[in-house]
């Protein structure tokens, strides 16, 4: 039974996922019994066997297309419906779903776009998709209590240098070559968007309550946030801010400003909790 | 497994994202919620917070879409462990999934494909259900799917197939009334025969949902109101099966919560009418049991 069932299921899988439809899939099959698909699936005067399998083929593609559209609205805006449809067709051939949840459907789209011909007209498209994917992952990332300002103030000053600061386990740091934050923000706010400019930039994506936020890191905080991501001591973070700040700014004032920003954003967690880090 | 082993949940609706805020903030009058298991197999975040809040006030059932119990692939042990751990945390009244296969060769179609109705398939699926029930540490329910293909090799009806599997695996049945209607149209059988033939003692839950009409076939889209013909089938089922937990599903073009709640109350009205007409008949033959929220154990939180 298992052998016959496996053959049947694999045949139907190939037919349902054939990129140009069940007809094309059948033409590529070499081991069908006499009578072809009609010997396996019942057809009738309303729908042939091929038309019935085509129902599943349409549902497969359009269900996953809808998921990708929902997860990548800015990428969709940039490419337009037709190109996005074609992109999804190629993507699902290269990266068919393998996980129980559709949450994982788009996890390779950015990688797929890095080698795609679409980059010719939208060279920033892979970075845009990477940012949108990070937002999905951060939304469902691990939980941890956020470090609040009053908690930090309650710790005596002499303990601060050795205090470990750690970023929220759901936080992601993206190293991008295109400044796609403004483009994404424009799409989200339903404003007219402009193509992203080239520029090496780090973007953090994090979650507070039920909302996901993102912004470009300032040069002064890039190494400090990376260090906090590894659970560095406060003294080291101070050194990094001092070293990387704009030379015209006072190091203490700069540290205070950035610390207030990190606490306000809710990107730090209690130093004693490890939490789990998201997969890169 | 006996139907009386399961709690009597009453009339509920699917827990869906557009309604999260309303449900958590206002605790609407609904007996229970069904959740899609895979939507909560995440590391953290808002979905799990919502489920925690909902579970404080309501019983739930966990309904999956990717167990792929009919697949020729080995059972996905990682998935089953996640499912078991989710159940340990949230203590659902039961766990269910579909009598179907969703993928093969490690790939997932994210759809519910039917099996040929054969003796061999019965034994294959029943053996897998038994192993799943061992892993989950509880009996599960299998749901009949809407289907658009039927197999030349089938040697029995769909209702004979699901009944035989439920007996051999000693599991329960989630009887989807809309799916019976859709499949009956698509494959030209009498839906009443399905309702009249499934073993009473195995049916623990119903689904009610809408579908879309494509002329030559009906498609199980869960995006329309429940059709009157489906309500009529539900009434027929209520007369035969007595008190069975009922769940209204709506997964696309989701309307205001009140629309689902109203459908759930209509189901309650039908059940009450049938009960009055035919006298009280509970799940174990005695007086109707009072429904209530099963108490959470102190250890339900992660």
């Amino acid at each position: 039974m298992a052998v016959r069932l496996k053959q049947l299921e694999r045949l139907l899988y190939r037919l349902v996922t054939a990129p140009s439809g069940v007809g094309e899939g059948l033409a590529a099959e070499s081991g069908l019994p006499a009578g072809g698909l009609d010997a396996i699936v019942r057809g009738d005067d309303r729908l042939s066997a091929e038309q019935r399998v085509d129902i599943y083929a349409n549902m497969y593609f359009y269900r996953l297309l809808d998921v990708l559209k929902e997860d990548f609205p800015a990428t969709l805006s940039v490419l337009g419906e037709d190109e996005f449809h074609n992109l999804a067709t190629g993507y699902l051939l290269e990266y068919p779903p393998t996980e129980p949840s559709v949450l994982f459907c788009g996890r390779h789209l950015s990688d797929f776009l890095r080698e795609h011909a679409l980059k010719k007209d939208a060279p920033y498209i892979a970075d845009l998709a990477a940012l949108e994917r990070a937002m999905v992952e951060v939304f469902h990332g691990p939980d941890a209590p956020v470090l609040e300002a009053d908690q930090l103030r309650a710790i005596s000053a002499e303990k601060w240098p050795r205090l470990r600061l750690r970023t929220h386990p759901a936080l992601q740091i993206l190293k991008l070559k295109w400044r796609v934050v403004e483009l994404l923000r424009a799409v989200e706010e339903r404003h007219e968007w402009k193509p992203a400019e080239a520029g090496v930039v780090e973007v953090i994506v994090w979650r507070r309550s039920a909302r996901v936020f993102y912004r470009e890191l300032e040069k002064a905080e890039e190494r400090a946030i990376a260090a906090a991501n590894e659970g560095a001591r406060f003294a080291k973070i101070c050194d990094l801010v001092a070293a990387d700040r704009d030379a015209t700014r006072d190091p203490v004032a700069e540290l205070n400003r950035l610390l207030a920003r990190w606490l306000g954003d809710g990107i730090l967690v209690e130093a004693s909790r490890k939490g789990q880090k998201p997969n890169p | 497994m006996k139907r009386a082993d399961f709690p009597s949940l009453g009339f509920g609706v699917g827990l869906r994202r557009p309604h999260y805020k309303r449900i958590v903030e206002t605790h609407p009058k609904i007996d229970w919620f069904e959740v899609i298991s895979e939507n909560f197999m995440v590391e953290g975040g808002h979905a799990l917070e919502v489920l925690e809040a909902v579970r404080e006030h309501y019983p739930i059932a966990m309904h999956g879409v990717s167990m792929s119990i009919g697949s020729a692939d080995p059972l996905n042990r990682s998935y089953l462990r996640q499912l078991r751990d989710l159940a340990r945390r949230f203590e659902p009244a039961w766990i269910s999934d579909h009598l179907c296969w969703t993928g093969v060769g490690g790939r997932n179609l994210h759809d519910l494909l039917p099996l040929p109705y054969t003796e061999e398939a019965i034994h294959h699926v029943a053996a897998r259900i038994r192993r799943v029930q061992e892993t989950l540490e509880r009996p599960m329910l299998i749901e009949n799917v809407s289907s658009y293909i039927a197999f030349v090799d089938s040697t029995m009806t769909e209702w004979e197939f699901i009944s035989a599997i439920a007996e051999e695996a000693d599991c329960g049945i989630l009887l989807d009334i809309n799916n019976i209607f859709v499949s009956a149209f698509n494959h030209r059988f009498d839906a009443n025969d399905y309702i009249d033939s499934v073993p009473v003692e195995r049916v623990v839950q119903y689904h009610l949902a809408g579908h879309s009409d494509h002329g030559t076939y009906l498609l199980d889209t869960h995006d329309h109101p429940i059709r009157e013909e489906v309500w009529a089938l539900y009434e027929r089922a209520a007369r035969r099966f007595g008190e069975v937990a009922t769940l209204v599903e709506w997964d696309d073009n989701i309307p205001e919560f009140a629309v689902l709640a109203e459908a759930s109350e209509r189901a309650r009205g039908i059940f009450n009418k049938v009960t009055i007409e035919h006298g009280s008949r509970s799940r174990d033959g005695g007086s109707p049991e009072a429904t209530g929220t099963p108490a959470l154990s102190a250890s339900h939180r992660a």
Side-chain angles (χ1 to χ4, degrees), chain B residues 1-9 92-94 133 138-141 170-172 200-204 243 283-284 289 294:
Chain B
M1 184 231 96
K2 301 188 300 297
R3 193 166 66 160
D5 295 338
F6 294 86
S8 173
L9 294 190
W94 51 77
Q133 290 179 139
R138 57 170 75 215
M140 65 171 286
L141 312 184
D170 196 20
C171 68
V200 170
E201 69 279 7
R202 293 280 171 194
V203 176
V204 176
E243 189 179 351
R283 289 141 68 251
D284 62 0
E289 299 163 28

mmCIF file of all heavy atoms in Angstrom, chain B residues 1-9 92-94 133 138-141 170-172 200-204 243 283-284 289 294:
data_model
loop_
_atom_site.group_PDB
_atom_site.id
_atom_site.type_symbol
_atom_site.label_atom_id
_atom_site.label_comp_id
_atom_site.label_asym_id
_atom_site.label_seq_id
_atom_site.Cartn_x
_atom_site.Cartn_y
_atom_site.Cartn_z
ATOM 1 N N MET B 1 -12.203 4.732 22.903
ATOM 2 C CA MET B 1 -12.667 6.129 22.959
ATOM 3 C C MET B 1 -14.185 6.179 22.861
ATOM 4 O O MET B 1 -14.783 5.467 22.039
ATOM 5 C CB MET B 1 -12.064 6.870 21.754
ATOM 6 C CG MET B 1 -12.385 8.341 21.732
ATOM 7 S SD MET B 1 -13.053 8.868 20.116
ATOM 8 C CE MET B 1 -14.789 8.800 20.395
ATOM 9 N N LYS B 2 -14.786 6.965 23.733
ATOM 10 C CA LYS B 2 -16.239 7.168 23.638
ATOM 11 C C LYS B 2 -16.482 8.659 23.555
ATOM 12 O O LYS B 2 -15.742 9.458 24.133
ATOM 13 C CB LYS B 2 -16.949 6.615 24.886
ATOM 14 C CG LYS B 2 -16.735 5.125 25.138
ATOM 15 C CD LYS B 2 -17.635 4.656 26.289
ATOM 16 C CE LYS B 2 -17.375 5.364 27.604
ATOM 17 N NZ LYS B 2 -16.041 5.127 28.128
ATOM 18 N N ARG B 3 -17.550 9.038 22.927
ATOM 19 C CA ARG B 3 -17.871 10.458 22.822
ATOM 20 C C ARG B 3 -18.037 11.087 24.193
ATOM 21 O O ARG B 3 -17.661 12.237 24.406
ATOM 22 C CB ARG B 3 -19.154 10.631 22.009
ATOM 23 C CG ARG B 3 -19.411 12.065 21.587
ATOM 24 C CD ARG B 3 -20.464 12.145 20.528
ATOM 25 N NE ARG B 3 -21.760 11.735 21.018
ATOM 26 C CZ ARG B 3 -22.901 12.076 20.422
ATOM 27 N NH1 ARG B 3 -22.893 12.809 19.344
ATOM 28 N NH2 ARG B 3 -24.047 11.636 20.902
ATOM 29 N N ALA B 4 -18.546 10.340 25.130
ATOM 30 C CA ALA B 4 -18.765 10.864 26.480
ATOM 31 C C ALA B 4 -17.450 11.153 27.204
ATOM 32 O O ALA B 4 -17.448 11.821 28.234
ATOM 33 C CB ALA B 4 -19.604 9.883 27.288
ATOM 34 N N ASP B 5 -16.315 10.635 26.653
ATOM 35 C CA ASP B 5 -15.024 10.943 27.267
ATOM 36 C C ASP B 5 -14.650 12.409 27.058
ATOM 37 O O ASP B 5 -13.767 12.920 27.746
ATOM 38 C CB ASP B 5 -13.918 10.075 26.640
ATOM 39 C CG ASP B 5 -14.120 8.596 26.932
ATOM 40 O OD1 ASP B 5 -14.827 8.275 27.911
ATOM 41 O OD2 ASP B 5 -13.570 7.767 26.181
ATOM 42 N N PHE B 6 -15.249 13.065 26.066
ATOM 43 C CA PHE B 6 -14.890 14.444 25.727
ATOM 44 C C PHE B 6 -15.860 15.410 26.398
ATOM 45 O O PHE B 6 -17.052 15.113 26.538
ATOM 46 C CB PHE B 6 -14.930 14.643 24.206
ATOM 47 C CG PHE B 6 -13.881 13.854 23.475
ATOM 48 C CD1 PHE B 6 -14.122 12.533 23.112
ATOM 49 C CD2 PHE B 6 -12.661 14.414 23.161
ATOM 50 C CE1 PHE B 6 -13.158 11.791 22.441
ATOM 51 C CE2 PHE B 6 -11.696 13.690 22.487
ATOM 52 C CZ PHE B 6 -11.947 12.369 22.138
ATOM 53 N N PRO B 7 -15.370 16.597 26.780
ATOM 54 C CA PRO B 7 -16.276 17.562 27.409
ATOM 55 C C PRO B 7 -17.302 18.083 26.408
ATOM 56 O O PRO B 7 -17.078 18.037 25.194
ATOM 57 C CB PRO B 7 -15.345 18.692 27.862
ATOM 58 C CG PRO B 7 -14.155 18.586 26.986
ATOM 59 C CD PRO B 7 -13.999 17.139 26.656
ATOM 60 N N SER B 8 -18.409 18.551 26.911
ATOM 61 C CA SER B 8 -19.451 19.133 26.069
ATOM 62 C C SER B 8 -19.178 20.627 25.954
ATOM 63 O O SER B 8 -19.307 21.350 26.934
ATOM 64 C CB SER B 8 -20.805 18.894 26.727
ATOM 65 O OG SER B 8 -21.811 19.572 26.029
ATOM 66 N N LEU B 9 -18.741 21.072 24.779
ATOM 67 C CA LEU B 9 -18.297 22.461 24.664
ATOM 68 C C LEU B 9 -19.405 23.427 24.238
ATOM 69 O O LEU B 9 -19.286 24.619 24.465
ATOM 70 C CB LEU B 9 -17.134 22.569 23.668
ATOM 71 C CG LEU B 9 -15.835 21.891 24.064
ATOM 72 C CD1 LEU B 9 -14.705 22.283 23.112
ATOM 73 C CD2 LEU B 9 -15.435 22.204 25.507
ATOM 74 N N PRO B 92 -6.086 22.046 25.379
ATOM 75 C CA PRO B 92 -7.315 22.067 24.576
ATOM 76 C C PRO B 92 -8.222 20.917 24.990
ATOM 77 O O PRO B 92 -7.765 19.913 25.543
ATOM 78 C CB PRO B 92 -6.787 21.837 23.159
ATOM 79 C CG PRO B 92 -5.532 21.032 23.357
ATOM 80 C CD PRO B 92 -4.923 21.548 24.638
ATOM 81 N N ALA B 93 -9.524 21.078 24.692
ATOM 82 C CA ALA B 93 -10.451 19.983 24.961
ATOM 83 C C ALA B 93 -10.102 18.771 24.102
ATOM 84 O O ALA B 93 -10.266 17.634 24.522
ATOM 85 C CB ALA B 93 -11.876 20.433 24.704
ATOM 86 N N TRP B 94 -9.652 19.023 22.871
ATOM 87 C CA TRP B 94 -9.182 17.966 21.972
ATOM 88 C C TRP B 94 -8.319 18.550 20.879
ATOM 89 O O TRP B 94 -8.223 19.775 20.733
ATOM 90 C CB TRP B 94 -10.351 17.173 21.348
ATOM 91 C CG TRP B 94 -11.406 18.004 20.709
ATOM 92 C CD1 TRP B 94 -11.352 18.627 19.494
ATOM 93 C CD2 TRP B 94 -12.695 18.283 21.245
ATOM 94 N NE1 TRP B 94 -12.520 19.290 19.250
ATOM 95 C CE2 TRP B 94 -13.370 19.095 20.309
ATOM 96 C CE3 TRP B 94 -13.360 17.929 22.419
ATOM 97 C CZ2 TRP B 94 -14.668 19.560 20.512
ATOM 98 C CZ3 TRP B 94 -14.645 18.392 22.618
ATOM 99 C CH2 TRP B 94 -15.287 19.202 21.673
ATOM 100 N N GLN B 133 -1.658 9.400 18.321
ATOM 101 C CA GLN B 133 -2.362 9.498 19.608
ATOM 102 C C GLN B 133 -1.426 9.137 20.760
ATOM 103 O O GLN B 133 -1.515 9.706 21.841
ATOM 104 C CB GLN B 133 -3.625 8.609 19.593
ATOM 105 C CG GLN B 133 -4.690 9.172 18.660
ATOM 106 C CD GLN B 133 -5.951 8.350 18.553
ATOM 107 O OE1 GLN B 133 -7.045 8.883 18.526
ATOM 108 N NE2 GLN B 133 -5.815 7.013 18.479
ATOM 109 N N ARG B 138 -3.260 11.448 23.899
ATOM 110 C CA ARG B 138 -4.714 11.614 23.950
ATOM 111 C C ARG B 138 -5.304 11.132 22.632
ATOM 112 O O ARG B 138 -4.596 11.106 21.617
ATOM 113 C CB ARG B 138 -5.078 13.084 24.122
ATOM 114 C CG ARG B 138 -4.493 13.941 23.008
ATOM 115 C CD ARG B 138 -5.026 15.346 23.021
ATOM 116 N NE ARG B 138 -4.444 16.139 24.089
ATOM 117 C CZ ARG B 138 -5.130 17.063 24.741
ATOM 118 N NH1 ARG B 138 -6.399 17.284 24.468
ATOM 119 N NH2 ARG B 138 -4.554 17.766 25.695
ATOM 120 N N PRO B 139 -6.603 10.786 22.607
ATOM 121 C CA PRO B 139 -7.221 10.508 21.314
ATOM 122 C C PRO B 139 -7.391 11.795 20.520
ATOM 123 O O PRO B 139 -7.502 12.873 21.106
ATOM 124 C CB PRO B 139 -8.590 9.914 21.688
ATOM 125 C CG PRO B 139 -8.809 10.229 23.116
ATOM 126 C CD PRO B 139 -7.517 10.592 23.735
ATOM 127 N N MET B 140 -7.391 11.675 19.192
ATOM 128 C CA MET B 140 -7.593 12.852 18.356
ATOM 129 C C MET B 140 -8.872 12.671 17.539
ATOM 130 O O MET B 140 -9.486 11.595 17.540
ATOM 131 C CB MET B 140 -6.397 13.068 17.426
ATOM 132 C CG MET B 140 -6.179 11.985 16.400
ATOM 133 S SD MET B 140 -4.910 12.443 15.169
ATOM 134 C CE MET B 140 -5.800 13.648 14.169
ATOM 135 N N LEU B 141 -9.276 13.748 16.841
ATOM 136 C CA LEU B 141 -10.410 13.686 15.927
ATOM 137 C C LEU B 141 -9.894 13.840 14.502
ATOM 138 O O LEU B 141 -8.975 14.631 14.258
ATOM 139 C CB LEU B 141 -11.406 14.818 16.195
ATOM 140 C CG LEU B 141 -11.853 15.104 17.619
ATOM 141 C CD1 LEU B 141 -12.912 16.206 17.609
ATOM 142 C CD2 LEU B 141 -12.350 13.862 18.306
ATOM 143 N N ASP B 170 -9.479 3.868 16.779
ATOM 144 C CA ASP B 170 -10.137 4.283 18.035
ATOM 145 C C ASP B 170 -9.966 5.783 18.265
ATOM 146 O O ASP B 170 -9.473 6.231 19.307
ATOM 147 C CB ASP B 170 -9.597 3.500 19.237
ATOM 148 C CG ASP B 170 -10.521 3.632 20.455
ATOM 149 O OD1 ASP B 170 -11.711 3.988 20.271
ATOM 150 O OD2 ASP B 170 -10.052 3.408 21.586
ATOM 151 N N CYS B 171 -10.359 6.551 17.246
ATOM 152 C CA CYS B 171 -10.284 8.005 17.359
ATOM 153 C C CYS B 171 -11.685 8.571 17.152
ATOM 154 O O CYS B 171 -12.624 7.840 16.811
ATOM 155 C CB CYS B 171 -9.318 8.584 16.333
ATOM 156 S SG CYS B 171 -9.860 8.436 14.607
ATOM 157 N N GLY B 172 -11.801 9.868 17.342
ATOM 158 C CA GLY B 172 -13.080 10.530 17.140
ATOM 159 C C GLY B 172 -13.184 11.110 15.734
ATOM 160 O O GLY B 172 -12.233 11.103 14.964
ATOM 161 N N VAL B 200 -22.529 7.127 15.471
ATOM 162 C CA VAL B 200 -22.922 8.198 16.390
ATOM 163 C C VAL B 200 -21.884 8.397 17.485
ATOM 164 O O VAL B 200 -21.509 9.523 17.819
ATOM 165 C CB VAL B 200 -24.302 7.894 17.000
ATOM 166 C CG1 VAL B 200 -24.617 8.853 18.142
ATOM 167 C CG2 VAL B 200 -25.390 7.950 15.935
ATOM 168 N N GLU B 201 -21.394 7.288 18.021
ATOM 169 C CA GLU B 201 -20.536 7.399 19.208
ATOM 170 C C GLU B 201 -19.160 7.975 18.892
ATOM 171 O O GLU B 201 -18.393 8.285 19.800
ATOM 172 C CB GLU B 201 -20.398 6.022 19.872
ATOM 173 C CG GLU B 201 -19.605 4.995 19.071
ATOM 174 C CD GLU B 201 -20.412 4.308 17.973
ATOM 175 O OE1 GLU B 201 -21.576 4.717 17.727
ATOM 176 O OE2 GLU B 201 -19.876 3.366 17.371
ATOM 177 N N ARG B 202 -18.832 8.119 17.587
ATOM 178 C CA ARG B 202 -17.505 8.631 17.224
ATOM 179 C C ARG B 202 -17.512 10.137 16.963
ATOM 180 O O ARG B 202 -16.464 10.753 16.957
ATOM 181 C CB ARG B 202 -17.003 7.927 15.947
ATOM 182 C CG ARG B 202 -16.716 6.439 16.140
ATOM 183 C CD ARG B 202 -15.400 6.206 16.792
ATOM 184 N NE ARG B 202 -15.212 4.819 17.163
ATOM 185 C CZ ARG B 202 -14.259 4.385 17.990
ATOM 186 N NH1 ARG B 202 -13.394 5.249 18.500
ATOM 187 N NH2 ARG B 202 -14.156 3.099 18.275
ATOM 188 N N VAL B 203 -18.678 10.710 16.714
ATOM 189 C CA VAL B 203 -18.722 12.118 16.297
ATOM 190 C C VAL B 203 -18.684 13.020 17.525
ATOM 191 O O VAL B 203 -19.613 13.028 18.341
ATOM 192 C CB VAL B 203 -19.980 12.391 15.449
ATOM 193 C CG1 VAL B 203 -20.071 13.882 15.115
ATOM 194 C CG2 VAL B 203 -19.922 11.577 14.157
ATOM 195 N N VAL B 204 -17.604 13.793 17.646
ATOM 196 C CA VAL B 204 -17.377 14.634 18.829
ATOM 197 C C VAL B 204 -17.615 16.102 18.505
ATOM 198 O O VAL B 204 -17.911 16.901 19.387
ATOM 199 C CB VAL B 204 -15.925 14.431 19.327
ATOM 200 C CG1 VAL B 204 -15.584 15.356 20.493
ATOM 201 C CG2 VAL B 204 -15.704 12.975 19.722
ATOM 202 N N GLU B 243 -26.356 15.853 21.236
ATOM 203 C CA GLU B 243 -25.503 16.976 21.630
ATOM 204 C C GLU B 243 -24.070 16.775 21.177
ATOM 205 O O GLU B 243 -23.361 15.904 21.665
ATOM 206 C CB GLU B 243 -25.547 17.118 23.146
ATOM 207 C CG GLU B 243 -24.866 18.377 23.644
ATOM 208 C CD GLU B 243 -24.948 18.476 25.151
ATOM 209 O OE1 GLU B 243 -25.666 17.663 25.778
ATOM 210 O OE2 GLU B 243 -24.267 19.339 25.711
ATOM 211 N N ARG B 283 -25.300 13.079 25.234
ATOM 212 C CA ARG B 283 -24.295 12.288 24.568
ATOM 213 C C ARG B 283 -24.154 10.905 25.172
ATOM 214 O O ARG B 283 -23.715 9.982 24.515
ATOM 215 C CB ARG B 283 -22.951 13.029 24.594
ATOM 216 C CG ARG B 283 -22.974 14.231 23.666
ATOM 217 C CD ARG B 283 -22.251 15.412 24.260
ATOM 218 N NE ARG B 283 -20.817 15.187 24.362
ATOM 219 C CZ ARG B 283 -20.178 14.995 25.505
ATOM 220 N NH1 ARG B 283 -20.796 15.009 26.645
ATOM 221 N NH2 ARG B 283 -18.884 14.807 25.505
ATOM 222 N N ASP B 284 -24.520 10.747 26.420
ATOM 223 C CA ASP B 284 -24.401 9.419 27.008
ATOM 224 C C ASP B 284 -25.757 8.799 27.309
ATOM 225 O O ASP B 284 -25.846 7.835 28.060
ATOM 226 C CB ASP B 284 -23.554 9.488 28.280
ATOM 227 C CG ASP B 284 -24.191 10.370 29.349
ATOM 228 O OD1 ASP B 284 -25.287 10.916 29.099
ATOM 229 O OD2 ASP B 284 -23.597 10.514 30.425
ATOM 230 N N GLU B 289 -26.073 17.418 29.708
ATOM 231 C CA GLU B 289 -25.110 17.916 30.681
ATOM 232 C C GLU B 289 -25.028 19.424 30.576
ATOM 233 O O GLU B 289 -25.126 19.993 29.511
ATOM 234 C CB GLU B 289 -23.730 17.320 30.403
ATOM 235 C CG GLU B 289 -23.687 15.819 30.509
ATOM 236 C CD GLU B 289 -22.443 15.267 29.826
ATOM 237 O OE1 GLU B 289 -21.432 15.965 29.754
ATOM 238 O OE2 GLU B 289 -22.503 14.129 29.359
ATOM 239 N N PRO B 294 -14.117 24.162 31.187
ATOM 240 C CA PRO B 294 -13.290 23.248 31.982
ATOM 241 C C PRO B 294 -12.214 24.050 32.714
ATOM 242 O O PRO B 294 -11.620 24.962 32.154
ATOM 243 C CB PRO B 294 -12.642 22.339 30.930
ATOM 244 C CG PRO B 294 -13.482 22.482 29.718
ATOM 245 C CD PRO B 294 -14.056 23.862 29.765
#
